[in-house]
Amino acid sequence: MQWTKVLGLGLGAAAFLGLGIILGHFAIPKEASVSAPQDLDLQILETVMGQLSASRIRDNLRELSRDPHLATSPRDEDLVQLLLQRWRDPESGLDSAEASKYEVLLSFPSQEQPNLVHVVGPTGDIIYSCRQTEENLTGEQGGPDVVQPYAAYAPPGTPQAVNAAKHGVAGVLVYTDPADINDGLSSPSETFPNSWYLPPSGVERGSYYEYFGDPLTPYLPAIPSSFRLDLANVSGFPPIPTQPIGFQDARDLLCNLSGTLAPTTWQGALGCSYRLGPGFRPDGGFPADSQVNVSVHNRLELRNSSNVLGIIRGAVEPDRYVLYGNHRDSWVHGAVDPSSGTAVLLELSRVLGTLLKKGTWRPRRSIVFASWGAEEFGLIGSTEFTEEFFNKLQERTVTYINVDISVFANATLRVQGTPPVQSVVFSATKEIRSPGPGDLSIYDNWIRYFNRSSPVYGLVPSLGSLGAGSDYAPFIHFLGISSMDLAYTYDRSKTSARIYPTYHTAFDTFDYVDKFLDPGFSSHQAVAQTAGSVILRLSDSFFLPLNVSDYSETLRSFLQAAQQELEALLEQHSISLGPLVTAVEKFDAEAAALVERISTLQKGSPDPLQVRMLNDQLMLLERTFLNPRAFPEERYYSHVLWAPRTGSVATFPGLSNACSRARDTAPGSEAWAEVQRQISIVVMALEGAAATLRPVADL
């Protein structure tokens, strides 16, 4: 999430217990009828689609983003109560709603000693100061609850950064270049509030913690009984003081640097040639022997952060969960990130809750709505939840649906997810009208912007892969739960912005969304309809609408890349891809056979228990790709297909990374042994996946 240019300068336990009781209680069937299979009701689906209101989503967003709600702040806790109130409403609430707290380590700037960046002259006098706050352009950037721009978890210190280059970097200044975010535009007349572009004083806040989850309790929930690391043993924090600044201040520093020209790929849109230093130009705006002083006074604090869960109990399979979540906390007002997603979450839960309270509908499987806390600091709330309920979630969760930023812009749907969820998203989007002129479905509009050629289906919309940018990360990488992330986004042929321009700044406000991103809120409504349709299909369908054979395309693609770009090199070291080829073929065969068995059963009147067993095979497939020992250098990453890939070859990440490290080492080295180990890890994962897909009675 840190796309930036660098300038080298006792009560909590009770809440957790209550949550466990809720999930356990709803795993006891109460209204099940195994003789009368409940299936997706198309009339209920149509009702939900028609009742999701753009104006209500707009009202939700106005309330959610009215004030800054930094994690654990009073306003953040106010929103916890708002969610509980909505989900306990007698006319539109859910079966149950509870908040649980985790005591986690967060990082904040000091209110008494603000972080400062100065240029000081030879005698120590201050000759230039970077802004401490963003310019108050709309009356919303200057309030007492607007947190000063800072880099969370960056250590305190007062280095002198420019001339320190010859001795090693002592501090880091970070800024967002107009070339990366503003299509090169930078003047006040071209930027917010006159357009959607970031104004010159805008500063992108963010967490600089390397991992996700609470820093003191890796792999353990941050509850009173858990072991906590000593601060001296915590890893993943930046080693040197770091401070973000606006591109207006960055221009004054960069454009006065001396030294050799920076590489072409480092050049930006500040109106000058970027140089590497050290020191300032003798003919520039500062004396050549001036210094840049960076004073960082961040502090670490233990804070109680809340998750909020709302549950609709399943009528037939209450022990199977469809999870839908988004984080609640923001850096400032957070109208886009994350409140656009929470506004959709509240509207969707209102519509489903109203049907529930009227007695006209109850899902086949349980639906769990989640509002995570402290995501901006490192996916903390969702990670602590997965740590605390690891076994239960792995055994019972069908899918995790994430809607964080629901609308980046209003051109098209964008979906990231694992291959099995592709089919249910396609089915949902083909039935929903796209916003805007014309009569296209969301699916037909989507394929115009993001598409790929499938050897099985022809031209289809393309799904992106899931990294670690939001709360889906612990669900897919740590628990192995099929996951997806839904959003509307922009036309990439019209902008090169890496994300919406006011990301993580004090300019991400309700009026910014209302005026520039989604006037009329039709794209928010489209995301709500897409998510709602997906939820109903996953929670109500007799046969789970997950297509495991769609994984075959991914595996074939990874295998082909390995054969084309790595096989010759591997043969030089007597390493064969033969076992990997066989494993992929075996998976293909078993996936196709399972799809055929499902198709045959769907034509008859199958025993619900038999369908339940097949559904469990579909649900549990993703877990077979986990190997907690595959990447010992990584934290939480266990999925052998979707772990971070640092190698250049787009194949299985462990194999790609290992080959990249081994290329320049001697034959027989440990690096080449690791290549062989990574191939074995993937082969065993694919063998396990194929075994999971075989008939249950076939051992």
Side-chain angles (χ1 to χ4, degrees):
M1 296 178 71
Q2 294 133 23
W3 300 284
T4 48
K5 289 198 177 238
V6 174
L7 175 59
L9 308 171
L11 177 60
F16 296 129
L17 178 61
L19 178 58
I21 291 171
I22 290 168
L23 289 178
H25 171 71
F26 288 151
I28 302 171
K30 290 179 173 56
E31 302 166 17
S33 173
V34 296
S35 61
Q38 176 180 334
D39 207 347
L40 178 66
D41 186 327
L42 295 180
Q43 187 174 356
I44 290 291
L45 178 59
E46 184 178 355
T47 297
V48 171
M49 295 299 98
Q51 291 184 358
L52 291 166
S53 165
S55 64
R56 285 182 180 270
I57 296 172
R58 183 178 185 273
D59 291 342
N60 288 340
L61 185 63
R62 184 190 294 276
E63 174 61 24
L64 291 164
S65 61
R66 176 167 53 85
D67 297 303
H69 44 287
L70 189 65
T72 73
S73 67
R75 178 59 180 170
D76 182 34
E77 289 305 307
D78 288 345
L79 294 183
V80 169
Q81 297 307 313
L82 183 148
L83 284 153
L84 290 173
Q85 179 186 1
R86 297 280 187 96
W87 289 348
R88 291 171 177 171
D89 187 277
E91 295 183 353
S92 60
L94 313 178
D95 284 319
S96 177
E98 297 292 338
S100 57
K101 291 184 183 295
Y102 296 95
E103 189 179 39
V104 299
L105 187 70
L106 303 182
S107 168
F108 301 97
S110 170
Q111 292 183 330
E112 296 76 25
Q113 289 183 289
N115 297 342
L116 302 172
V117 178
H118 296 305
V119 177
V120 297
T123 61
D125 54 315
I126 296 174
I127 56 178
Y128 180 88
S129 296
C130 292
R131 295 186 64 99
Q132 296 180 35
T133 61
E134 290 153 303
E135 188 176 358
N136 192 2
L137 296 176
T138 64
E140 299 162 290
Q141 292 76 41
D145 296 326
V146 174
V147 69
Q148 177 196 7
Y150 76 113
Y153 298 109
T158 309
Q160 291 185 332
V162 173
N163 285 337
K166 55 190 170 185
H167 304 294
V169 175
V172 176
L173 296 180
V174 182
Y175 80 101
T176 304
D177 198 285
D180 297 330
I181 204 76
N182 276 6
D183 296 318
L185 302 179
S186 61
S187 72
S189 63
E190 298 170 317
T191 57
F192 183 81
N194 300 303
S195 77
W196 83 318
Y197 291 117
L198 182 69
S201 69
V203 183
E204 182 179 321
R205 298 150 180 82
S207 173
Y208 286 66
Y209 180 49
E210 182 179 353
Y211 307 116
F212 45 90
D214 172 45
L216 296 182
T217 58
Y219 295 104
L220 297 170
I223 57 178
S225 62
S226 288
F227 168 78
R228 282 174 164 76
L229 295 172
D230 186 275
L231 264 179
N233 297 323
V234 174
S235 59
F237 292 162
I240 56 177
T242 302
Q243 177 64 20
I245 59 175
F247 67 75
Q248 182 180 42
D249 288 320
R251 176 191 293 119
D252 290 337
L253 297 176
L254 271 176
C255 292
N256 280 289
L257 279 181
S258 64
T260 58
L261 281 173
T264 302
T265 54
W266 288 22
Q267 299 296 326
L270 294 181
C272 65
S273 296
Y274 298 179
R275 296 182 177 273
L276 299 178
F280 291 117
R281 294 186 290 112
D283 60 341
F286 308 125
D289 52 356
S290 299
Q291 296 279 350
V292 176
N293 283 0
V294 182
S295 300
V296 175
H297 301 284
N298 296 344
R299 64 185 189 277
L300 297 171
E301 292 186 21
L302 281 173
R303 294 277 191 93
N304 286 321
S305 179
S306 299
N307 288 341
V308 189
L309 293 190
I311 298 174
I312 300 177
R313 188 186 72 249
V316 182
E317 300 180 70
D319 61 334
R320 291 295 177 262
Y321 312 144
V322 176
L323 266 67
Y324 175 98
N326 177 34
H327 71 100
R328 183 185 60 259
D329 64 299
S330 66
W331 287 111
V332 196
H333 294 86
V336 183
D337 181 12
S339 299
S340 64
T342 306
V344 167
L345 170 71
L346 286 173
E347 174 61 2
L348 186 52
S349 62
R350 180 195 68 84
V351 171
L352 295 180
T354 300
L355 293 175
L356 181 73
K357 293 301 185 182
K358 287 181 177 179
T360 56
W361 167 82
R362 179 174 290 280
R364 179 183 183 89
R365 302 176 186 89
S366 295
I367 300 172
V368 181
F369 293 102
S371 174
W372 310 118
E375 184 268 0
E376 295 292 7
F377 288 83
L379 317 181
I380 289 178
S382 55
T383 302
E384 301 313 300
F385 178 75
T386 58
E387 290 169 337
E388 183 170 15
F389 299 104
F390 180 91
N391 292 323
K392 183 177 291 186
L393 294 170
Q394 271 205 327
E395 292 167 1
R396 302 178 182 179
T397 304
V398 174
T399 47
Y400 175 70
I401 303 160
N402 196 71
V403 180
D404 181 341
I405 298 173
S406 68
V407 175
F408 291 86
N410 58 4
T412 179
L413 185 70
R414 183 228 64 187
V415 181
Q416 298 169 311
T418 52
V421 308
Q422 172 181 274
S423 59
V424 68
V425 177
F426 284 1
S427 296
T429 53
K430 286 177 180 178
E431 303 299 325
I432 305 169
R433 184 182 175 279
S434 175
D439 197 31
L440 292 177
S441 68
I442 289 178
Y443 178 94
D444 291 332
N445 184 63
W446 179 15
I447 206 172
R448 296 166 58 207
Y449 293 92
F450 299 101
N451 60 68
R452 67 182 180 87
S453 180
S454 163
V456 178
Y457 306 111
L459 191 70
V460 295
S462 56
L463 271 67
S465 58
L466 294 170
S470 190
D471 289 299
Y472 50 74
F475 289 94
I476 180 60
H477 296 301
F478 184 41
L479 296 185
I481 292 169
S482 293
S483 302
M484 69 185 82
D485 185 78
L486 307 176
Y488 244 69
T489 192
Y490 37 79
D491 181 349
R492 292 194 175 276
S493 70
K494 296 181 177 179
T495 178
S496 62
R498 57 170 173 78
I499 198 169
Y500 72 95
T502 64
Y503 176 71
H504 286 188
T505 74
F507 305 105
D508 179 358
T509 62
F510 173 81
D511 286 340
Y512 179 79
V513 176
D514 199 33
K515 183 176 181 180
F516 298 114
L517 295 195
D518 191 23
F521 279 69
S522 59
S523 296
H524 284 80
Q525 183 183 37
V527 172
Q529 291 172 325
T530 301
S533 181
V534 168
I535 287 174
L536 286 174
R537 292 168 189 273
L538 288 166
S539 63
D540 271 344
S541 297
F542 187 31
F543 288 86
L544 278 177
L546 299 174
N547 191 344
V548 295
S549 66
D550 285 342
Y551 243 128
S552 294
E553 284 192 60
T554 298
L555 299 178
R556 285 285 178 187
S557 172
F558 283 1
L559 176 61
Q560 185 178 38
Q563 290 173 318
Q564 292 177 348
E565 301 187 52
L566 296 176
E567 191 163 34
L569 175 65
L570 294 174
E571 287 176 349
Q572 294 174 18
H573 295 269
S574 302
I575 298 174
S576 172
L577 288 177
L580 188 56
V581 173
T582 301
V584 170
E585 291 173 346
K586 190 177 296 185
F587 178 90
D588 285 351
E590 296 297 348
L594 179 61
V595 170
E596 184 62 30
R597 289 198 301 277
I598 292 172
S599 179
T600 301
L601 281 175
Q602 287 174 327
K603 296 172 184 175
S605 300
D607 178 356
L609 182 58
Q610 191 176 16
V611 176
R612 163 87 169 199
M613 290 189 293
L614 279 170
N615 285 341
D616 279 357
Q617 289 176 276
L618 300 175
M619 179 182 77
L620 295 173
L621 171 67
E622 203 81 58
R623 322 289 198 267
T624 65
F625 296 120
L626 296 184
N627 185 325
R629 295 175 181 267
F631 313 106
E633 72 281 5
E634 300 285 356
R635 187 178 292 179
Y636 295 106
Y637 289 104
S638 300
H639 202 299
V640 302
L641 303 182
W642 305 118
R645 179 170 59 82
T646 56
S648 60
V649 180
T651 183
F652 304 95
L655 174 59
S656 180
N657 299 347
C659 283
S660 179
R661 290 190 292 264
R663 280 184 184 275
D664 298 324
T665 65
S669 67
E670 288 186 9
W672 285 109
E674 177 62 16
V675 171
Q676 184 69 69
R677 189 180 82 93
Q678 288 295 334
I679 292 176
S680 295
I681 285 171
V682 175
V683 168
M684 292 309 299
L686 296 180
E687 293 273 6
T692 296
L693 298 180
R694 293 189 194 110
V696 173
D698 183 2
L699 298 179

